[in-house]
């Protein structure tokens, strides 16, 4: 009987929702730790380095302050550099490096997972539309692919904010609708929620630009540290 046919695209059960929530938090904790640890490490190095430089110059700065105008300006300038300008530079570089590290981490370890997450959220959005939901429950996904999916790609409603930004970065110029259509054609009668999600995630992951799969550039951080040390050396020489 047709009414007893297996429903390949029925709404997710409470267990499926719990699994998706767990998967989301697992991704988020990995991403947040990756970002926070890299950012904190670089910024901490910068702060400690500049406090050390200031301590070494402290007596010279005290000597310069309150003397000639040029010497006072130099003393105040050194304080501004070590406690304002340098920390800002380290803050900016730490943020840039941490973001690149996150992209590298997701691109190499979570690239399929984040697209699977997108597919789940797209169907979650579709189930809120009675007409589309009824079609999905009858194993008809044409309107979902042609109408609901393009609409959802404009909104990405229900996606976590962090994961939404990362998804946008990785999906870039991808034609995800075309990938869904390709999946429908390739899977044929074997198509179901699990197979579709796996197919789309795998194909989309293969289309991620190589630049997003490259490790962050550590040389910029080293260059900043060397520049910081060079400016300290200049202050030391001028104040001697």
């Amino acid at each position: 009987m047709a009414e007893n046919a297996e429903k390949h695209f029925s709404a997710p059960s409470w267990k499926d929702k719990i699994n998706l929530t767990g998967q989301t938090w697992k991704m988020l904790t990995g991403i947040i730790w990756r970002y926070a640890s890299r950012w904190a490490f670089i910024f901490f190095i910068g702060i400690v380095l500049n406090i050390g430089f200031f301590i070494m110059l402290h007596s010279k700065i005290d000597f310069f302050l309150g003397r000639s105008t040029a010497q006072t300006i130099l003393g105040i300038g050194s304080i501004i550099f070590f406690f304002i300008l340098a920390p800002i530079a380290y803050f900016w570089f730490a943020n840039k490096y941490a973001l690149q590290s996150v992209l590298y981490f997701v691109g190499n370890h979570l690239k399929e997972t984040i697209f699977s997450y997108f597919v789940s959220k797209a169907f979650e959005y579709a189930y809120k539309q009675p007409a589309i939901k009824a079609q999905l429950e009858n194993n008809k996904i044409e309107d979902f692919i042609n109408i609901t999916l393009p609409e959802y790609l404009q909104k990405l409603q229900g996606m976590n904010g962090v994961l939404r930004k990362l998804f946008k970065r990785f999906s870039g110029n991808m034609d995800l609708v075309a990938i869904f259509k390709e999946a429908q054609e390739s899977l044929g009668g074997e198509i179901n929620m699990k197979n579709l999600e796996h197919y789309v995630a795998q194909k989309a992951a293969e289309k991620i630009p190589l630049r997003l799969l490259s490790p962050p550039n550590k040389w910029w951080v080293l260059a900043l540290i060397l520049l910081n040390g060079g400016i300290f050396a200049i202050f030391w020489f001028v104040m001697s």
Side-chain angles (χ1 to χ4, degrees):
M1 297 289 289
E3 58 183 347
N4 294 322
E6 182 182 356
K7 295 181 178 180
H8 297 311
F9 295 96
S10 57
S13 65
W14 64 271
K15 289 184 178 180
D16 294 328
K17 292 180 180 178
I18 290 176
N19 287 336
L20 181 60
T21 300
Q23 182 186 66
T24 301
W25 278 107
K26 185 177 180 180
M27 283 194 291
L28 279 175
T29 52
I31 289 167
I32 291 171
W33 167 250
R34 189 86 178 185
Y35 175 86
S37 61
R38 271 59 179 177
W39 181 90
F41 180 69
I42 294 173
F43 190 63
F44 176 77
I45 287 176
I47 293 299
V48 170
L49 195 63
N50 281 277
I51 289 175
F53 286 156
F54 179 78
I55 290 173
M56 286 188 281
L57 284 174
H58 183 262
S59 60
K60 297 179 184 295
I61 293 173
D62 280 347
F63 178 77
F64 268 54
L65 292 175
R67 296 178 68 81
S68 69
T69 301
Q71 288 176 316
T72 299
I73 291 174
L74 184 62
I76 294 174
S78 65
I79 294 173
I80 291 174
F81 174 79
F82 290 119
F83 286 99
I84 297 178
L85 299 181
I88 288 175
Y90 277 100
F91 182 94
W92 188 83
F93 271 88
N95 181 66
K96 184 177 178 63
Y97 182 87
L99 288 175
Q100 290 177 336
S101 183
V102 165
L103 291 174
Y104 175 71
F105 172 69
V106 175
N108 286 274
H109 300 284
L110 298 174
K111 56 185 177 182
E112 290 191 23
T113 306
I114 199 166
F115 283 107
S116 293
Y117 171 76
F118 158 73
V119 175
S120 297
K121 286 298 182 179
F123 274 102
E124 186 178 288
Y125 174 79
Y127 294 133
K128 295 177 181 178
Q129 303 177 39
I132 300 298
K133 179 182 178 183
Q135 291 181 21
L136 289 172
E137 290 178 339
N138 285 291
N139 301 331
K140 297 178 181 178
I141 64 169
E142 286 76 14
D143 282 352
F144 166 78
I145 293 176
N146 296 316
I147 300 174
T148 307
L149 186 59
E151 180 182 299
Y152 182 71
L153 282 166
Q154 295 296 319
K155 302 178 179 180
L156 297 178
Q157 185 175 313
M159 291 183 73
N160 172 272
V162 173
L163 298 180
R164 179 169 59 245
K165 289 179 180 179
L166 286 170
F167 169 76
K168 285 183 176 180
R169 189 69 178 269
F170 282 101
S171 58
N173 297 320
M174 289 183 195
D175 189 345
L176 286 165
V177 174
I179 294 177
F180 271 83
K181 289 180 178 179
E182 179 186 323
Q184 182 184 19
E185 182 178 343
S186 298
L187 296 173
E190 299 297 320
I191 193 170
N192 56 41
M193 177 72 76
K194 185 176 180 180
N195 289 344
L196 178 63
E197 182 179 307
H198 177 72
Y199 186 98
V200 170
Q202 187 177 54
K203 291 296 181 180
E206 292 173 358
K207 296 180 181 295
I208 295 175
L210 289 177
R211 59 185 173 79
L212 296 178
L213 302 176
S214 301
N217 192 341
K218 298 178 181 179
W219 292 108
W220 284 106
V221 179
L222 179 60
L224 177 62
I225 293 173
L226 292 175
L227 176 63
N228 194 175
I231 294 176
F232 161 75
I234 291 172
F235 276 116
W236 180 275
F237 176 77
V238 172
M239 291 180 173
S240 296

